[in-house]
Amino acid sequence: MENNDKNINWIAKILSKNASADEQQALDQWRTQAPDNEDLYASSQKIWDLVEHSENSPKEVNLDQAWAKFENKLQDRMVEPKGSVISIWTRRLVVAAVLTIGVFGYWWTQSSGDQPMAYSTQSGETLEVQLPDGSKVILNENSELAYDQKFTPRTIKLTGEAFFDVTKSGETFTVNTEKTQVTVLGTSFNIRAYTNQADAEVAVLTGKVAVDLAKADKPTGVVLVAGEKAVLDNNTQQLSKAISNTNNVVSWQTKKLNFKNTTINDVVNTLERHFDIDIQPTENILKCHFTGRFDEANLDEVLQTIAFSLDLQVDKDSDTIKLSGEGCQSSSNE
Amino acid sequence: MSTNIPDDKLLDRLRANDPSVLKAIFYKYYTTIYRVTYRFVSNDATAEDLAQDVFMKFWEKREQLNIRESLGGYLRRMAVNEALGYLRKNKKIELEEIDNRTMGGTAQSGEDLYLGGELEEVLNKAIESLPPKCKTVFLLSRFEQLTYREISERLGISIKTVENQMGKALRVLRKWLANYSTMIAFLFWWI
């Protein structure tokens, strides 16, 4: 075994082009000595080559968004005072003023440790909030977020939908919604808990999350890992676990939709949520499958593409969209 | 926004202090730079901050720049520096996070991966599962094409350690893929 370890070090050196000519030659010889040697080398090389093509794309990059953010930072830096015109006296005054505010501000934050902080969004708005512990929350539209300024323990109240990227610390991070309690250590996840909607949903992008019912007497919860979600059925008050399409869970944030052999039923659910509309597919097309990607596409473009690929008809009412068609024979293309 | 303006044109405009050039450079290289920082830090928000810092530093230092290689290569090198600086500064946090992930990852690997289904995903998870130092060494060699000597100098470790870490990385990757037996059977038969 130890020998094998040495050989792998050797192979890694060859593959990464760090070996000398002598080492290269020695290895070539070693490879011919036993079929196992050659196997070890060949399989290592395959992995080495494959890794190059592993596209490690965490999220799709939105250049316009990234640039907008960057431009803001850039402007912040550019408005820093040049400082040559101000006389020494004015400078002192400025310093004094800043100090006063500083001291006052310090006193104020100290004395108001449990000052409630609240953020809310209107229709069509999203808001990024940085919490005192460095965690990031992106609040979707018509949502509310509240916490104590002191933020110990790390507890937050949410109505509506938000994406959380939680900074890791020894202390748990808890999100209370009307009906659920979500506890994490450090991770990113999406919670959807609008009061006017039937089901609450928690989807996990990275890390591990525990979800419990808000008023549970005994532990009723489920533990989720990346790629899973918990759905609370409002009628039965039961939490159930399911596989989550993490791409589309945060589509409200990324503006991207991604379907891979997805049933029309699921496609419709995603679109309804993404565009905040009502879509009614006829029963016979629910089992059809659709594959496709959309980047910042509008509703019409998406509907047209789906309708075209599955030969569906789209009828738009004032506030409902009807989808109908012949249905699909062999529904899955896998 | 066009993203394929040739580098020499961009550099000419940069020298002429044309303020619009920054946006052009940003659009052309941001995605690449972001992917580089992401590989090292494995976190969206951090990778984004680091990538943005790269362009900020690039812009602030534009007058002292002396770019002998390609613009892309230069930015990429800045990105690696930025990421390594971050890893060094946050050593504790990183170690803890990645260690946790490693444990979770191997415990549940098999079935989970099969459901995910894609080779790419397996490879990424495998790389993610490497211990922090091992992963950094591997990334520098495999993706940044640094030599063992350069890696040892950059990270302040011996060449012997680099060799061992590289071997370890390769072993772990092999194990991940071997665990994934159906996939590997398919792979060897197919490639």
Coordinates of all heavy atoms in Angstrom, one line a residue, chain A residues 30 34 45 58 62 86 97 113 115 138 155 161 165 170 183 190 195 218 224 302 304 307 310 322 333:
Chain A
W30 N 8.7 1.4 -15.5 CA 7.8 0.8 -14.5 C 6.5 0.4 -15.0 O 5.9 -0.7 -14.7 CB 7.7 1.8 -13.3 CG 6.7 1.5 -12.3 CD1 6.9 0.7 -11.2 CD2 5.4 2.0 -12.1 NE1 5.8 0.6 -10.4 CE2 4.8 1.4 -11.0 CE3 4.6 2.8 -12.9 CZ2 3.5 1.6 -10.6 CZ3 3.3 3.1 -12.5 CH2 2.8 2.5 -11.3
A34 N 4.4 -4.4 -15.1 CA 3.2 -5.2 -14.6 C 2.0 -4.5 -15.2 O 1.9 -3.3 -15.2 CB 3.2 -5.3 -13.1
Q45 N -4.2 9.0 -15.2 CA -4.2 10.0 -16.2 C -5.6 10.4 -16.7 O -5.8 11.6 -16.9 CB -3.4 9.5 -17.4 CG -3.2 10.6 -18.5 CD -2.4 10.2 -19.6 OE1 -2.3 9.0 -20.0 NE2 -1.7 11.1 -20.3
P58 N -20.3 27.7 -9.7 CA -21.2 27.8 -8.6 C -22.5 28.4 -9.0 O -23.6 27.8 -8.8 CB -20.4 28.8 -7.7 CG -19.5 29.6 -8.6 CD -19.2 28.6 -9.7
N62 N -23.8 36.8 -13.6 CA -24.5 37.9 -14.3 C -23.6 39.1 -14.4 O -23.4 39.8 -13.4 CB -25.8 38.2 -13.5 CG -26.6 39.3 -14.2 OD1 -26.1 40.1 -14.9 ND2 -27.9 39.2 -14.1
I86 N -9.3 72.3 2.2 CA -9.8 72.5 3.6 C -8.7 73.1 4.5 O -7.7 72.5 4.6 CB -10.5 71.3 4.1 CG1 -11.4 70.6 3.1 CG2 -11.2 71.6 5.4 CD1 -11.9 69.3 3.5
A97 N -16.5 66.8 14.8 CA -17.9 66.4 14.5 C -18.0 64.9 14.3 O -18.9 64.3 14.9 CB -18.4 67.1 13.2
G113 N -29.3 47.9 22.6 CA -28.8 46.6 22.1 C -30.0 45.7 21.6 O -29.8 45.0 20.6
Q115 N -32.6 46.9 20.3 CA -33.4 47.7 19.3 C -33.8 46.8 18.2 O -33.0 46.2 17.5 CB -32.4 48.8 18.8 CG -33.0 49.6 17.7 CD -33.5 50.9 18.2 OE1 -33.5 51.2 19.4 NE2 -34.1 51.7 17.3
I138 N -30.9 38.0 1.2 CA -31.5 38.7 0.1 C -33.0 38.5 0.2 O -33.5 37.4 0.1 CB -31.0 38.2 -1.3 CG1 -29.5 38.4 -1.3 CG2 -31.7 39.0 -2.4 CD1 -28.8 37.9 -2.5
T155 N -31.0 35.2 15.9 CA -32.4 34.8 15.6 C -33.0 35.9 14.8 O -32.8 37.1 15.0 CB -33.2 34.7 16.9 OG1 -32.5 33.7 17.8 CG2 -34.6 34.2 16.7
E161 N -40.2 35.6 1.5 CA -39.2 34.7 0.9 C -37.8 35.4 1.0 O -37.7 36.6 0.8 CB -39.5 34.4 -0.6 CG -38.4 33.5 -1.2 CD -38.9 32.9 -2.5 OE1 -39.8 33.5 -3.1 OE2 -38.3 31.9 -2.9
D165 N -27.3 33.5 3.2 CA -25.9 33.0 3.2 C -25.3 33.2 4.6 O -25.0 34.4 4.9 CB -25.1 33.7 2.1 CG -23.9 32.9 1.8 OD1 -23.5 32.0 2.5 OD2 -23.3 33.2 0.7
G170 N -19.6 29.5 16.0 CA -20.0 28.4 16.8 C -21.5 28.4 17.2 O -22.0 27.4 17.6
T183 N -33.0 26.0 11.7 CA -31.8 26.2 12.5 C -30.6 25.7 11.6 O -30.6 24.7 11.1 CB -31.8 25.3 13.7 OG1 -33.1 25.6 14.4 CG2 -30.7 25.7 14.7
N190 N -32.8 28.9 1.0 CA -33.9 29.7 0.6 C -35.1 29.3 1.4 O -35.4 28.2 1.5 CB -34.1 29.5 -0.9 CG -35.0 30.6 -1.5 OD1 -34.6 31.8 -1.6 ND2 -36.3 30.2 -1.7
T195 N -47.4 34.4 4.0 CA -48.6 34.0 4.8 C -49.8 33.7 3.9 O -50.6 32.9 4.3 CB -49.0 35.2 5.8 OG1 -48.8 36.4 5.1 CG2 -48.2 35.1 7.0
K218 N -42.9 18.4 20.6 CA -41.8 17.4 20.4 C -41.1 17.6 19.1 O -41.6 18.3 18.2 CB -42.3 16.0 20.5 CG -43.5 15.8 19.6 CD -44.1 14.5 19.7 CE -45.3 14.4 18.7 NZ -46.1 13.3 18.8
L224 N -32.0 18.7 6.5 CA -31.8 18.8 5.1 C -30.3 18.9 4.8 O -29.7 19.7 5.5 CB -32.6 20.0 4.5 CG -34.1 20.1 4.8 CD1 -34.6 21.4 4.3 CD2 -34.8 18.9 4.1
V302 N -40.6 32.6 -22.7 CA -40.6 31.3 -22.1 C -41.8 30.4 -22.6 O -41.6 29.3 -23.1 CB -40.6 31.4 -20.6 CG1 -40.6 30.0 -20.0 CG2 -39.3 32.1 -20.1
Q304 N -43.6 30.8 -25.3 CA -43.5 30.5 -26.7 C -42.6 29.3 -26.9 O -42.8 28.4 -27.7 CB -43.0 31.7 -27.5 CG -44.2 32.5 -28.0 CD -43.7 33.8 -28.5 OE1 -42.6 33.9 -29.0 NE2 -44.6 34.8 -28.5
A307 N -44.2 26.1 -25.7 CA -45.3 25.7 -26.6 C -44.8 25.2 -27.9 O -45.3 24.2 -28.4 CB -46.2 27.0 -26.8
L310 N -43.3 21.6 -27.5 CA -44.2 20.5 -27.1 C -45.5 20.6 -27.9 O -46.4 19.9 -27.6 CB -44.5 20.5 -25.6 CG -43.3 20.3 -24.7 CD1 -43.7 20.5 -23.2 CD2 -42.7 18.9 -24.9
K322 N -53.8 29.7 -20.1 CA -54.2 28.3 -20.3 C -53.2 27.6 -21.3 O -52.9 28.2 -22.3 CB -55.6 28.2 -20.8 CG -56.6 28.6 -19.8 CD -58.0 28.1 -20.2 CE -59.0 28.3 -19.1 NZ -59.5 29.7 -18.9
N333 N -37.8 11.5 -22.2 CA -36.8 11.3 -23.3 C -35.5 10.8 -22.8 O -34.4 11.0 -23.3 CB -36.6 12.5 -24.2 CG -36.3 13.7 -23.3 OD1 -35.8 13.6 -22.2 ND2 -36.7 14.9 -23.8

